[in-house]
Each structure stands twice: as structure tokens, then as C-alpha cells.
Amino acid sequence: MTKLDKRSKLKQEYANLSYISNSGGLTKRYVYRGLKPGFIKVTKFNKATGMVEGRFAVTFSEDTSVYNRLQNGMSGTARFTSGLFRIKITDVMLR
């Protein structure tokens, strides 16, 4: 569970992707740079409970700013094409 922080000092959101098997694993750090546009679509909203459901698609690129990043066989992009989400909105403050 995470919280949206609109005042964050980070300009980009980061994600780590790991593949682990019986004989070892691979890991790579990715960042969203907006090179390939994604989408977020709200499909259901329940005002009484504050639940929001929807779908998303997003593409992350390898974070090349990491000084000692791992060189491995993982792809330079991580693409999520059929993502689903369900979140509960608990507190919203608009300006």
C-alpha cells in the first residue's frame, strides 16, 4: 500500500522488476519517462464506499542514471498492458 504524494521532491516515479527462479534471479530498475504514452481508465466508482476500480497500461524504461546498474539479460523496457487496480479513497484535499 502506498500513498500519493503530490509534494514529492522526486521528479520521476521508480519501479524495480525482479525475476527469481530456483537457480538465481535478475533485477533491473526502471523509471517512467513518458516516452510511450500510457493510460489510466476508471471503470467503476462507488461514492458510498470510496472505492475506485479501473484499468491501466504503462511502459517504463531502464533507469540509466544508476551508477552501478546491473548489466543482465532483462529487457530495457518493462511494459504493463492489461493492468487492473482497485483503490479506496480515504482523504482528498483539493486546492
Side-chain angles (χ1 to χ4, degrees):
M1 174 85 58
T2 186
K3 292 185 177 185
L4 179 64
D5 183 3
K6 293 183 79 172
R7 295 183 182 130
S8 175
K9 302 286 186 223
L10 296 174
K11 294 182 188 244
Q12 298 172 324
E13 297 299 325
Y14 295 94
N16 288 311
L17 181 63
S18 300
Y19 173 78
I20 301 171
S21 68
N22 291 337
S23 62
L26 301 171
T27 186
K28 194 168 277 202
R29 183 171 158 172
Y30 296 91
V31 63
Y32 178 72
R33 291 200 173 102
L35 301 176
K36 190 167 188 173
F39 73 87
I40 297 174
K41 180 178 182 180
V42 173
T43 58
K44 188 175 182 182
F45 174 66
N46 185 328
K47 188 175 181 179
T49 63
M51 293 299 288
V52 178
E53 296 180 15
R55 301 175 337 149
F56 68 93
V58 66
T59 301
F60 292 95
S61 302
E62 180 182 0
D63 184 6
T64 56
S65 68
V66 177
Y67 170 72
N68 59 346
R69 69 182 194 271
L70 297 173
Q71 302 294 324
N72 55 38
M74 292 184 73
S75 174
T77 59
R79 185 172 298 125
F80 299 89
T81 57
S82 298
L84 302 172
F85 66 89
R86 181 183 303 145
I87 60 171
K88 181 175 176 81
I89 298 177
T90 56
D91 187 19
V92 176
M93 187 170 72
L94 301 174
R95 288 189 195 193

